[in-house]
Amino acid sequence: MKWEEGKQKRIPQELWEMLNAQQVHCAGLIEDKNKLISELQQELKAKDDQYVKDLKKQSGDICLLLERMEEQVKNVMKTFRQELQHIEKAFEVEREELLTNNKKKWEQALQAHNAKELEYLMNRIKKVEDHEKQLNKQRIWDCEEYNTIKIKLEQDVQILEQQLQQMKATYQLNQEKLEYNFQVLKKRDEESTVIKSQQKRKINCLHDVLNNLRSKYNKQVKQFQEENQSLTSDYKRLVMQFKEMQKAMRHFALIDDKQFREIWLMNEEEVKDLISRAFDVDRIIHTHHLGLPWTAPDFWFLKNVGPISQQQQKSPTQILEEVLMEAEEEGAEEAASEPESYLDLPKQVSAKTTRKILMLLCDESGFLVESKLLSLLLPLDKSECYLLKLDAIFSALGIESEDDLYKLVNFFLKYQAHHSPPSQERTSLVSPLEKLDPQGEKEGSLVDREPQEKQPPPSPRLIHPNDVLKILEAFVTGLRKPRDFRAPVKLLKVVRDDSKDSAYWKALTTVIPATTLNLWDALYTALEKYHLVLTQRAELLIENSSLERQNTELQQLLQQYLDSKINSELQVPPTQVFRVPTK
């Protein structure tokens, strides 16, 4: 404690005085310790004498204790053996009772099973007899019906022969009427020539009016061109912005789909790992503990990898419904476009033009529709019939997307522009679509009267019905070639149908049924009890072996101590003490 005080002092005399005082104190402490050592040595000698006496007394007591312990161990072993024999007898009696009860139950179940099989057999025999009777009745009825139908058809043939003779008579009458009408039409043709000369004079007067209207038209065309240029620049700028926005949306949609799929696969892998572990546990319980055969369950959702539902793409029929709805509200719009290939998408095609082309295709391509479907379409409305017919035609032509539908419309327009006859012959081509356009005759007359004007864009009015099959053949051949090449895939935003996700994850949680879980709980409690009994038994065995080992060691030590001489023990130095193990 005084080392710190000594470090603080700087004068040598004070430090020397402090050291001398410390030496005096140390000398006094050593003298006190020497006195204590001498006292302890005297007490040690007295204790050694007392120890020798106690040792002799202890040897006698230990011998008595060993004899009594051996007698007690023998008695306990006898009682344990008797109890073990009683327990084994009780187990054998219970096992025999269980075997007899199980045999009785098995015999009763076999008898019930045999009775049910006999009942099923009798029922099957009765059913076979009933079916044979019904077949015989049906055959008789079919023969009678065949005879009645045969008689009816023969009568129909006779009626038709009579009608044929009547038609021949009406044909002769009609031929005479047509000859008379032909003579009348000749006279009318002569009158029409006189009327034409009068109409030509009126046309000359109308030409002056037409020239005035042309001048006004040119002024308006210039004004509309300027407006069109400004609007096209704005349109291009907006289209660029829209494309950039679409790229960003597609990029984020791809990232979201990728993250969703990765998280789905991670969770699915974790769940399937837990399910496989649960199946292993169930297999071990059935095979090792219960001794029953185990079969792995085969669920549909265990074979699934990745998300379930997918997006339903927009069919051409849905697009056609939208086009037909828009065509009723939209007017006829025509726009001149730059030269492009047949299968490029149209920049601007009106809904009314698309509707006319599709109705022409529906009227001229009826052979692509099945006869059964045509019989079913008779009681429906006209619009519903067009939709169902076009759906069948699209499936036959291989039109699967919105792009293919617009390619077909554009192909009709471009094909007619490239393969159309001269302007004088166009007026002679009459299409059923002229009935749908009330302004067709006025526009056709302008084409005849103004051959020097700029030709308008191709219209579905000028497509002849005989050219529809040629256009379809060229379109199908042209559509197959580009599909052989790998076009860039359009990344559209996918909207998943997550209606089955909750059912899928719930099904994964219920792989192990409630009956097997109850079986596991019961087996767990039984194994815990069995484990407790085994641990107690192991502890008792370990304790018994340790006691036997200790007894043998104590016997050996006592024999050594008794055989040795007491005088040799007294000559041991007082500092060395012989210690016996505490056990």
Side-chain angles (χ1 to χ4, degrees):
M1 291 170 64
K2 292 186 178 182
W3 278 109
E4 293 180 357
E5 294 179 1
K7 289 179 180 179
Q8 291 176 1
K9 291 182 180 182
R10 301 296 180 185
I11 299 169
Q13 288 81 5
E14 293 178 356
L15 187 60
W16 182 70
E17 290 175 357
M18 191 174 179
L19 287 171
N20 287 330
Q22 190 71 20
Q23 286 178 358
V24 171
H25 288 303
C26 287
L29 184 63
I30 289 167
E31 288 179 358
D32 293 335
K33 285 188 178 181
N34 289 327
K35 289 179 183 180
L36 184 62
I37 287 167
S38 62
E39 292 175 358
L40 289 172
Q41 285 178 355
Q42 291 176 1
E43 289 180 1
L44 187 62
K45 287 180 182 180
K47 294 290 181 183
D48 286 337
D49 296 335
Q50 185 69 30
Y51 173 71
V52 172
K53 293 177 183 180
D54 293 336
L55 201 62
K56 291 179 180 179
K57 185 178 179 181
Q58 188 181 10
S59 63
D61 294 336
I62 287 169
C63 290
L64 290 172
L65 182 65
L66 286 172
E67 291 175 358
R68 290 175 183 175
M69 286 174 68
E70 288 177 356
E71 289 177 359
Q72 289 179 358
V73 168
K74 289 178 181 178
N75 293 327
V76 170
M77 290 292 288
K78 286 179 181 179
T79 54
F80 283 165
R81 285 173 184 169
Q82 290 175 359
E83 288 178 357
L84 184 62
Q85 290 175 359
H86 289 307
I87 291 165
E88 288 178 352
K89 288 179 181 179
F91 274 127
E92 288 177 356
V93 171
E94 289 179 357
R95 185 172 178 274
E96 289 176 356
E97 290 177 355
L98 287 171
L99 286 171
T100 54
N101 292 327
N102 290 328
K103 284 180 180 179
K104 289 178 181 178
K105 290 180 181 179
W106 177 253
E107 290 175 356
Q108 292 175 359
L110 281 174
Q111 290 176 0
H113 181 69
N114 293 327
K116 286 182 180 179
E117 283 186 349
L118 288 172
E119 289 179 0
Y120 292 152
L121 190 74
M122 296 301 293
N123 291 327
R124 179 174 175 77
I125 292 167
K126 289 179 181 178
K127 287 180 180 179
V128 169
E129 291 176 355
D130 294 337
H131 288 314
E132 287 178 354
K133 291 178 181 178
Q134 290 177 2
L135 282 171
N136 292 325
K137 290 179 181 178
Q138 188 68 29
R139 285 171 184 167
I140 295 165
W141 185 78
D142 288 338
C143 292
E144 293 176 354
E145 188 177 2
Y146 172 74
N147 292 325
T148 54
I149 291 167
K150 186 177 180 181
I151 294 165
K152 186 178 179 181
L153 289 173
E154 289 176 354
Q155 292 176 357
D156 292 338
V157 168
Q158 293 175 0
I159 293 166
L160 289 171
E161 287 178 352
Q162 292 176 1
Q163 290 178 357
L164 180 62
Q165 292 176 359
Q166 291 176 0
M167 291 298 293
K168 286 180 180 178
T170 54
Y171 174 73
Q172 290 177 358
L173 291 172
N174 290 328
Q175 189 175 4
E176 293 176 356
K177 288 180 181 179
L178 288 171
E179 288 177 355
Y180 174 74
N181 290 329
F182 179 70
Q183 297 295 329
V184 172
L185 289 172
K186 277 185 177 180
K187 292 180 180 179
R188 288 184 181 178
D189 191 12
E190 293 174 355
E191 293 176 357
S192 64
T193 53
V194 176
I195 294 168
K196 281 182 181 179
S197 62
Q198 294 175 359
Q199 292 293 331
K200 284 181 180 179
R201 294 172 186 173
K202 290 181 182 180
I203 288 169
N204 292 325
C205 296
L206 292 172
H207 270 298
D208 297 331
V209 178
L210 182 62
N211 292 324
N212 294 326
L213 292 173
R214 278 181 183 176
S215 61
K216 293 179 181 179
Y217 172 76
N218 291 326
K219 291 179 182 179
Q220 288 181 356
V221 165
K222 290 180 181 179
Q223 184 180 356
F224 289 149
Q225 283 178 355
E226 292 175 357
E227 292 178 359
N228 190 16
Q229 287 178 359
S230 63
L231 291 173
T232 50
S233 62
D234 294 337
Y235 171 74
K236 288 179 181 178
R237 179 173 55 80
L238 292 173
V239 166
M240 292 299 292
Q241 292 177 358
F242 176 70
K243 287 183 179 179
E244 291 176 357
M245 185 66 71
Q246 269 189 339
K247 286 181 182 178
M249 288 174 68
R250 289 168 185 168
H251 177 67
F252 289 123
L254 282 175
I255 291 171
D256 291 340
D257 291 340
K258 186 177 180 182
Q259 289 179 354
F260 175 76
R261 185 174 180 80
E262 289 176 355
I263 292 168
W264 181 288
L265 291 173
M266 181 179 68
N267 293 328
E268 194 175 39
E269 185 178 0
E270 186 177 356
V271 170
K272 287 183 179 178
D273 189 13
L274 292 173
I275 289 170
S276 65
R277 289 170 62 187
F279 285 164
D280 292 338
V281 170
D282 193 17
R283 180 178 56 77
I284 291 166
I285 287 169
H286 277 77
T287 54
H288 293 284
H289 295 287
L290 301 178
L292 297 173
W294 183 81
T295 56
D298 188 12
F299 296 110
W300 64 271
F301 47 81
L302 294 177
K303 298 177 182 178
N304 184 51
V305 178
I308 301 172
S309 304
Q310 299 294 334
Q311 181 197 16
Q312 294 183 353
Q313 294 182 353
K314 199 173 182 182
S315 63
T317 310
Q318 296 174 352
I319 300 162
L320 180 62
E321 291 178 2
E322 295 176 0
V323 168
L324 293 175
M325 292 295 291
E326 290 175 3
E328 294 176 358
E329 301 174 358
E330 219 180 47
E333 295 177 0
E334 297 177 355
S337 59
E338 296 177 358
E340 52 190 3
S341 64
Y342 286 161
L343 295 177
D344 291 337
L345 289 174
K347 293 182 179 178
Q348 186 178 5
V349 178
S350 66
K352 190 171 182 180
T353 305
T354 307
R355 180 170 172 268
K356 290 179 180 179
I357 291 172
L358 292 176
M359 291 178 75
L360 177 63
L361 178 64
C362 184
D363 293 332
E364 297 300 323
S365 302
F367 62 94
L368 295 175
V369 184
E370 295 181 358
S371 59
K372 294 181 180 178
L373 184 60
L374 289 173
S375 62
L376 293 173
L377 293 176
L378 292 175
L380 297 178
D381 296 337
K382 190 173 182 181
S383 60
E384 294 178 355
C385 290
Y386 273 122
L387 286 173
L388 294 173
K389 282 183 180 180
L390 287 171
D391 193 7
I393 291 166
F394 289 162
S395 62
L397 294 176
I399 296 171
E400 301 171 354
S401 62
E402 185 178 1
D403 295 342
D404 294 339
L405 179 60
Y406 285 118
K407 284 179 183 178
L408 176 63
V409 174
N410 194 33
F411 191 85
F412 266 83
L413 299 175
K414 299 298 177 184
Y415 188 92
Q416 186 61 25
H418 284 277
H419 298 82
S420 60
S423 60
Q424 293 179 358
E425 295 178 2
R426 285 186 185 177
T427 56
S428 63
L429 298 176
V430 179
S431 173
L433 292 173
E434 289 180 358
K435 299 177 183 179
L436 299 173
D437 191 1
Q439 299 177 357
E441 296 178 21
K442 296 180 182 179
E443 293 175 2
S445 62
L446 290 174
V447 171
D448 291 336
R449 294 168 188 169
E450 298 170 11
Q452 296 177 357
E453 289 183 11
K454 187 177 180 180
Q455 292 182 358
S459 174
R461 297 181 299 100
L462 304 175
I463 299 173
H464 197 274
N466 295 333
D467 295 333
V468 173
L469 296 178
K470 296 178 182 179
I471 296 170
L472 285 177
E473 185 179 1
F475 172 76
V476 171
T477 55
L479 185 63
R480 287 175 182 172
K481 291 178 181 178
R483 286 186 177 177
D484 296 335
F485 302 97
R486 294 185 178 179
V489 181
K490 292 187 178 180
L491 300 174
L492 299 176
K493 186 178 179 182
V494 179
V495 179
R496 284 191 69 257
D497 182 13
D498 57 354
S499 60
K500 297 181 181 178
D501 291 352
S502 59
Y504 174 68
W505 291 111
K506 283 181 182 178
L508 288 176
T509 57
T510 58
V511 172
I512 305 299
T515 55
T516 55
L517 292 174
N518 294 329
L519 178 65
W520 288 5
D521 294 335
L523 185 63
Y524 180 71
T525 54
L527 289 174
E528 276 187 341
K529 292 178 182 178
Y530 183 61
H531 182 263
L532 182 62
V533 171
L534 289 177
T535 52
Q536 291 176 356
R537 186 176 177 185
E539 290 175 355
L540 290 173
L541 288 173
I542 292 166
E543 187 177 357
N544 189 12
S545 62
S546 65
L547 288 172
E548 288 179 355
R549 198 183 305 111
Q550 289 175 6
N551 287 332
T552 54
E553 289 177 358
L554 288 171
Q555 285 179 0
Q556 291 176 2
L557 290 170
L558 285 172
Q559 290 296 328
Q560 289 178 2
Y561 292 148
L562 293 173
D563 293 339
S564 63
K565 293 181 180 181
I566 298 170
N567 293 327
S568 62
E569 291 177 355
L570 293 173
Q571 291 176 1
V572 177
T575 55
Q576 297 179 358
V577 180
F578 184 80
R579 295 181 181 177
V580 182
T582 57
K583 293 183 181 179

